[in-house]
């Protein structure tokens, strides 16, 4: 039977530059070379399973060429079509193939899957790490001391120098102070990587901090016919975009005293979460040819899989991937990131991935495999208050980091964008899936009439188009400033931008207040007061509305996202080749920039994984993920429940297990460990694409594999609870010695939960104990009301030793 061939699909595009955006790629394919392809040929990944490790690299390469020769006309054509040979941790290759050739290869017994390489767009901190420290009582140093060790227990100061964090992204700006190697010891002897030179990236760009750097663009150039625009990208590991530099410094940047964004905002000591860890950079994201190449980047699966394969072979301990997919996700056997992460996990590498920015709509989270850590985004306790004084005496509080101010402390006329458009501007959005109902309010390019906005503060609404692009349009039309209002779905969440003119952004309720005032006044005015950085904002953290939500559409029995981390208005290092807005007309240069998105929260989780790895170098990747998840908190800094940006109470579909607490994760007490074989059995039973997936030909799927909810995962999710389900779990004692634990249960509404046994006794460290969780549907919920079909209910169970260890796992039930 022909195995599934993943076909190319048009991808929906988000239009916010500081969020995780996924770009469409065309249904037409450009030739990589005249001898190797036709207009119908595309880049396919041919996946053969786990690398056995016995064969030499040249022998593996020859096997791949032999397979290609079975569908190509000559040995020369087979060699020319091969782009990558994956040989370190997984067995497979990427090649230029016709659909017929890919189908023939997929029918061979040694081939697990053959699927088309997709394009994925990645442009998916001072205060954020100090905020995490405040939450846990970790603040050991004065706020602007600039030292590297404030977050780390003293025992990890040296151990973390041996940890290597890989960054899969758009490259790095090596001259940033965040990547200084001052005071660091020699590069770990086990490191096998290289510093790949190239355009503006001499070998001296690497040091004892950036110990390796590579770049990958064969699939990108095959798709775009070698069309790399040197104006917007370097053919080297150097970062033109800024995104990769930002994520790298968030994860493992050195402490830099006095860092700030443009205009001095967020001034403080900028530090990554694992500031003494080493960095290895894998550049696989490149600009999309088109009208905004400096804004839009794409990352092709074949390039990313080559990067992941090399990263594990080089010796990274953690791999941070702020990249994901929009649209219907492919099954695990046809997902390059999932396959790369599986084989990385088998080698003990923790893979942390961004969950996406398609929230708050449900079932939008990406990177869904249980062997990766999927990260949602939440706020920190910092804001950039910018009062807006309306002409009727009402003041609303906006936020901004634009360095520009309107001249004179005086009122300026206010105008709503929808009342100031050029004639003929359409009211409706053509995209039927859009939540924007009136394009005229959006300040889209060339939509504003100069005679209606000149010298005025223009009120624009978020929704369609780039936030910073709206400011550029107001400036083009002669407006004096921009007031950017949230749509209702974004609630009180306010991402800030360094606009190209004066302006501020306001929450949805405040935007309504401003519009009501405009409608009630014949000559509305406003004064925009200067912005200032404010800390200790409450409540915090709050779940970001843009953060993608569960449930997991591939396999609802695996809760996604796994955890949440700071991702709103995060300050980190930036590329010297990119302006803070990345707009073509913006020529400002900054060393540090503020961005928002799960791309920013992902490296926070990566750093937490690096710290746990430093403390416990012999732990598996599953144990490290478990430690991070089971020690997360569902409370905010004041002890109340985590909230969403719209004011509602958040839950596991928003934040997974909760908000990360890196210090707690160092000593979790118990962990849920899982093996490569366990993941293969899970994939056999997973319900994605209507059937399971055999991910390794050497491990056949049994006739009746265990159901997916039986995977030994740190969370519990069950879909379609009819009657009762018994879930089995096993925990390993990672404490110092003998221990006793008792369980406490919070039952989901309408579900009876019984854990047996209710007490676990461990005689020594490393001992395992199994237990059962029986979930039984009740006719009515705790309130007496019936549980509606399709309703998601949540609870938890937690093992406690009566002391420092509380090992908590969420329980989620989806009623069909």
């Amino acid at each position: 039977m022909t195995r599934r061939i993943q076909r190319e699909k048009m991808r929906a595009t988000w239009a916010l530059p500081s969020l995780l955006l996924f770009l469409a790629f065309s249904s037409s394919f450009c030739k990589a070379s005249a001898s190797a392809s036709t207009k119908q040929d595309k880049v396919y990944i041919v996946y053969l399973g786990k690398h056995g490790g016995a064969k030499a690299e040249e022998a593996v390469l020859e096997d791949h060429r032999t397979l290609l020769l079975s569908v190509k006309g000559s040995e020369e054509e087979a060699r020319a079509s091969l782009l990558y040979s994956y040989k370190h941790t997984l067995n497979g290759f990427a090649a230029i193939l016709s659909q017929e050739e890919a189908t023939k290869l997929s029918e061979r017994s040694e081939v697990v899957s053959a699927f088309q390489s997709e394009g994925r767009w990645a442009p998916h901190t001072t205060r954020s790490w100090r905020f995490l420290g405040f939450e846990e009582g970790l603040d050991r140093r004065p706020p602007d001391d600039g030292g590297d060790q404030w977050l780390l227990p003293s025992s990890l100061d040296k151990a973390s120098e041996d940890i290597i964090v890989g960054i899969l992204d758009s490259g790095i700006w090596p001259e940033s102070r965040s990547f200084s190697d001052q005071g660091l010891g020699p590069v770990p002897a086990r490191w096998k990587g290289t510093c790949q030179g190239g355009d503006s990236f001499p070998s001296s760009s690497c040091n004892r901090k950036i110990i390796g750097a590579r770049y990958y663009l064969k699939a990108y150039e095959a798709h775009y016919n070698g069309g790399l625009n040197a104006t917007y990208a370097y053919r080297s590991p150097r970062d033109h975009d800024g995104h990769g530099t930002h994520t790298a410094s968030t994860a493992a940047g050195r402490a830099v005293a006095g860092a700030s964004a443009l205009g001095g905002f967020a001034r403080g000591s900028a530090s990554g979460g694992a500031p003494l860890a080493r960095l290895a950079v894998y550049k696989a994201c490149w600009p999309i040819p088109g009208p905004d190449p400096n804004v839009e980047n794409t990352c092709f699966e074949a390039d990313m899989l080559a990067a992941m394969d090399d990263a594990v072979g080089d010796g990274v301990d953690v791999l941070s991937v702020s990249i994901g997919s929009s649209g219907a996700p492919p099954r695990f056997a046809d997902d390059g990131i999932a396959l790369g992460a599986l084989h990385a996990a088998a080698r003990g590498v923790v893979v942390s991935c961004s969950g996406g920015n398609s929230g708050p709509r449900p079932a939008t989270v990406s990177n869904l495999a249980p062997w990766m850590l999927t990260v949602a985004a939440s706020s920190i306790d910092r804001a950039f208050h910018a009062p807006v004084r309306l002409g009727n005496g009402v003041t609303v509080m906006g936020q901004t980091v634009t360095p520009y101010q309107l001249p004179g402390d005086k009122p300026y006329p206010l105008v709503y964008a929808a009342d100031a458009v050029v004639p003929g501007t359409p009211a409706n959005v053509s995209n039927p899936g859009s939540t924007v109902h009136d394009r005229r309010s959006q300040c889209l390019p060339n939509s504003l009439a100069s005679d209606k906005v000149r010298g005025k503060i223009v009120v624009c609404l978020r929704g369609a188009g780039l936030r910073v692009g709206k400011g550029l349009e107001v400036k083009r039309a002669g407006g004096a400033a921009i007031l950017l209002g949230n749509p209702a779905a974004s609630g009180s969440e306010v991402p800030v931008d360094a606009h190209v003119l004066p302006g501020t952004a306001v929450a949805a309720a405040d935007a309504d207040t401003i519009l009501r005032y405009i409608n009630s006044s014949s000559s509305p005015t406003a004064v925009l007061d200067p912005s200032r950085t404010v800390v200790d904002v409450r409540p915090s953290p709050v779940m970001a509305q843009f953060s993608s939500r569960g449930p997991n559409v591939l396999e609802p029995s695996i809760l996604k996202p796994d955890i949440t981390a700071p991702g709103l208005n995060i300050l980190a290092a930036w590329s010297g080749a990119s302006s803070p807005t990345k707009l073509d007309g913006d020529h400002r240069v900054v060393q540090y920039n503020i961005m928002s998105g799960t791309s920013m929260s992902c490296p926070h989780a990566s750093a937490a994984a690096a710290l746990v790895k430093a403390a416990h170098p012999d732990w598996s990747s599953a144990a490290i993920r478990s430690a991070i998840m089971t020690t997360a908190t569902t409370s905010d800094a004041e002890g109340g429940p985590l909230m969403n940006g719209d004011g509602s109470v958040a839950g596991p579909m928003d934040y997974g297990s909760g908000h990360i607490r890196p210090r707690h994760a160092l000593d979790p007490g118990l962990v849920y460990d899982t093996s490569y074989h366990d993941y293969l059995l899970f994939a056999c039973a997973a319900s994605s694409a209507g059937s399971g997936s055999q991910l390794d030909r050497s491990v056949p799927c049994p006739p009746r594999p265990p159901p997916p909810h039986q995977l030994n995962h740190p969370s519990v999710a069950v879909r379609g609870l009819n009657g009762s389900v018994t879930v089995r779990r096993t925990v390993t004692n990672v404490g110092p010695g003998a221990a006793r634990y008792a369980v406490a249960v919070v039952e989901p509404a309408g579900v009876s939960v019984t854990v047996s046994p209710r007490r676990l006794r461990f005689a020594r460290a490393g001992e395992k104990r199994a237990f059962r969780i029986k979930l039984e549907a009740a006719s009515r919920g705790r309130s007496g009301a019936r549980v509606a079909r399709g309703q998601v209910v949540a609870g938890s169970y937690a093992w406690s030793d009566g002391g420092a260890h509380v090992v908590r796992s969420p329980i989620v039930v989806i009623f069909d």
Side-chain angles (χ1 to χ4, degrees):
M1 179 183 294
T2 301
R3 296 179 183 87
R4 179 179 172 207
I5 305 298
Q6 177 66 23
R7 300 180 186 277
E8 185 175 80
K9 299 180 178 70
M10 291 296 290
R11 297 295 194 185
T13 303
W14 278 78
L16 303 179
S18 60
L19 301 185
L20 176 64
L21 307 172
F22 307 102
L23 260 289
F25 64 98
S26 167
S27 59
S28 63
F29 177 77
C30 300
K31 297 185 293 182
S33 68
S35 63
S37 65
T38 70
K39 289 183 179 180
Q40 288 74 42
D41 292 346
K42 304 179 187 297
V43 177
Y44 283 83
I45 294 170
V46 180
Y47 172 56
L48 305 173
K50 186 177 182 181
H51 185 267
K55 284 190 174 182
E57 290 186 10
E58 187 56 39
V60 174
L61 179 60
E62 191 57 39
D63 287 347
H64 295 166
R65 288 171 178 162
T66 300
L67 268 176
L68 277 171
L69 186 59
S70 70
V71 296
K72 294 293 186 180
S74 66
E75 185 171 335
E76 180 183 2
E77 188 179 353
R79 288 176 177 270
S81 67
L82 182 64
L83 299 183
Y84 295 110
S85 182
Y86 309 128
K87 53 191 177 296
H88 293 300
T89 58
L90 65 132
N91 189 4
F93 58 88
I96 299 171
L97 302 168
S98 67
Q99 183 174 329
E100 180 183 1
E101 290 168 340
T103 300
K104 286 181 179 178
L105 284 173
S106 74
E107 292 170 342
R108 295 182 64 101
S109 60
E110 63 265 54
V111 175
V112 176
S113 60
F115 57 98
Q116 191 176 314
S117 170
E118 299 273 5
R120 306 182 183 214
W121 200 60
H124 220 180
T125 108
T126 50
R127 185 70 184 177
S128 60
W129 284 108
R130 187 156 298 281
F131 171 58
L132 291 177
F134 279 142
E135 283 197 306
E136 300 192 272
L138 300 185
D139 192 21
R140 289 169 36 190
R141 292 172 178 258
D144 291 306
D145 167 272
D148 279 325
Q149 295 83 17
W150 72 270
L151 182 65
L152 303 178
S154 58
S155 61
L156 288 188
D157 288 353
K158 183 64 178 176
S160 62
E161 286 195 38
D162 293 327
I163 299 303
I164 303 167
V165 178
I167 306 291
L168 177 55
D169 213 296
S170 63
I172 197 165
W173 192 261
E175 291 79 14
S176 171
R177 291 179 293 165
S178 292
F179 309 126
S180 166
D181 66 353
Q182 183 177 358
L184 290 177
V187 173
R190 62 188 173 86
W191 175 244
K192 299 177 182 177
T194 186
C195 190
Q196 185 180 3
D199 183 17
S200 302
F201 200 90
S203 59
S204 59
S205 299
C206 293
N207 55 21
R208 295 189 305 276
K209 180 63 176 180
I210 305 172
I211 64 173
R214 300 176 185 260
Y215 65 99
Y216 307 81
L217 73 168
K218 290 180 181 179
Y220 169 86
E221 291 198 312
H223 185 84
Y224 290 113
N225 197 25
L228 182 64
N229 188 334
T231 303
Y232 299 102
Y234 300 101
R235 188 180 291 274
S236 77
R238 182 172 291 277
D239 180 20
H240 191 288
D241 179 81
H243 189 270
T245 300
H246 199 283
T247 57
S249 63
T250 301
R254 301 299 297 275
V256 178
S260 67
L262 189 69
F265 293 104
R267 185 175 300 279
S269 177
S271 175
L276 300 181
R278 315 305 176 114
L279 281 167
V281 176
Y282 300 87
K283 179 179 177 179
C285 301
W286 306 87
I288 293 182
D292 296 305
N294 203 42
V295 173
E296 300 173 348
N297 274 8
T298 188
C299 323
F300 281 86
E301 280 178 297
D303 294 330
M304 291 189 293
L305 195 54
M308 297 177 82
D309 187 48
D310 278 343
V312 179
D314 289 344
V316 304
D317 299 295
V318 176
L319 189 56
S320 191
V321 184
S322 290
I323 301 168
S325 173
S326 65
R331 63 177 186 153
F332 299 130
D334 296 335
D335 184 333
I337 290 182
L339 292 175
L342 172 65
H343 293 281
R347 292 285 192 94
V349 177
V350 181
V351 181
S352 174
C353 297
S354 50
N357 302 323
S358 299
R361 290 180 293 119
T364 51
V365 64
S366 62
N367 291 318
L368 302 174
W371 48 80
M372 58 177 62
L373 188 66
T374 305
V375 191
S378 42
S379 69
I380 60 174
D381 64 339
R382 180 179 61 202
F384 305 94
H385 285 171
V388 179
R389 292 183 280 145
L390 303 178
N392 61 358
V394 173
T395 297
V396 300
M397 188 60 69
Q399 290 197 61
T400 188
V401 292
T402 181
Y404 306 116
Q405 298 295 322
L406 287 172
D409 183 14
K410 63 179 183 180
Y412 281 74
L414 266 178
V415 64
Y416 180 37
D419 300 327
V421 294
V422 297
T425 300
N428 297 323
V429 173
S430 58
N431 179 7
S434 175
T435 58
V436 179
H437 301 295
D438 192 343
R439 292 180 66 91
R440 296 171 300 183
S441 67
Q442 299 296 302
C443 297
L444 299 177
N446 300 311
S447 64
L448 296 176
S450 296
D451 58 326
K452 297 178 181 179
V453 304
R454 186 172 291 111
K456 299 179 181 179
I457 300 171
V458 183
V459 179
C460 309
L461 297 184
R462 287 174 58 191
L466 303 173
R467 295 191 308 269
V468 291
K470 297 172 189 290
L472 187 65
E473 170 59 12
V474 172
K475 183 177 182 179
R476 179 206 64 79
I482 181 173
L483 262 177
L484 188 59
N486 271 3
S490 295
S492 61
E493 163 198 299
V494 181
V496 295
D497 301 289
H499 286 288
V500 294
L501 79 170
T504 191
V506 296
D510 293 328
D512 289 342
T513 298
I514 294 169
L515 292 179
R516 285 196 300 270
Y517 164 59
I518 291 175
N519 291 333
S520 67
S521 173
S522 58
S523 357
T525 63
V527 177
L528 302 186
D529 286 342
S531 176
R532 62 189 179 92
T533 303
V534 178
V535 297
D536 297 327
V537 172
R538 297 292 185 263
S540 59
V542 172
M543 290 305 303
Q545 289 296 92
F546 62 73
S547 186
S548 292
R549 264 60 176 187
N552 183 333
V553 296
L554 280 188
E555 180 42 71
S557 295
I558 297 297
L559 177 63
K560 291 288 178 175
D562 291 311
I563 43 98
T564 187
L568 179 66
N569 297 332
I570 303 302
L571 180 75
W574 198 243
S575 168
S578 184
S579 72
T581 65
K582 300 202 289 187
L583 296 171
D584 263 350
D586 186 359
H587 303 294
R588 298 171 295 176
V589 177
V590 295
Q591 294 183 3
Y592 292 84
N593 199 20
I594 292 174
M595 293 187 74
S596 297
T598 55
S599 282
M600 283 65 251
S601 59
C602 172
H604 281 86
S606 303
L611 297 180
V612 178
K613 183 71 173 180
H616 307 284
D618 58 336
W619 281 12
S620 70
S621 61
I624 293 173
R625 291 196 309 274
S626 172
I628 293 171
M629 292 168 64
T630 60
T631 58
T633 180
T634 59
S635 300
D636 64 21
E638 293 184 310
L642 285 175
M643 306 294 289
N644 288 314
D646 63 0
S648 62
V649 176
M653 291 299 175
D654 307 305
Y655 54 60
S657 293
H659 194 269
I660 62 168
R661 297 192 293 177
R663 180 71 169 246
H664 284 65
L666 298 176
D667 182 22
L670 305 174
V671 296
Y672 295 82
D673 214 347
T674 314
S675 69
Y676 174 73
H677 185 266
D678 294 332
Y679 290 134
L680 295 183
L681 290 179
F682 160 81
C684 289
S687 62
S688 58
S691 63
S693 305
Q694 183 178 350
L695 299 184
D696 192 328
R697 284 284 170 260
S698 66
V699 184
C701 286
R704 298 185 64 181
H709 61 251
Q710 299 296 4
L711 180 71
N712 198 41
H713 201 59
S715 59
V716 173
V718 173
R719 179 182 181 182
L721 183 61
N722 298 313
S724 67
V725 169
T726 297
V727 177
R728 293 170 175 81
R729 291 290 188 267
T730 300
V731 288
T732 304
N733 177 25
V734 293
R740 296 182 180 184
Y741 283 83
V743 72
V745 175
V746 177
E747 293 183 332
V751 179
S752 171
V753 179
T754 304
V755 178
S756 58
R758 295 189 62 82
R759 296 182 183 276
L760 300 176
R761 178 179 295 181
F762 300 88
R764 63 186 183 278
E767 193 170 10
K768 299 178 182 291
R769 287 286 182 264
F771 61 95
R772 300 179 302 280
I773 309 163
K774 184 178 181 180
L775 308 176
E776 192 167 11
S779 59
R780 294 180 182 272
R782 287 192 295 269
S783 65
R786 289 189 178 275
V787 179
R789 184 176 181 181
Q791 184 176 349
V792 177
V793 294
S796 65
Y797 70 94
W799 292 102
S800 173
D801 64 357
H805 302 121
V806 178
V807 188
R808 181 187 177 278
S809 295
I811 300 172
V812 173
V813 176
I814 306 172
F815 283 93
D816 282 345

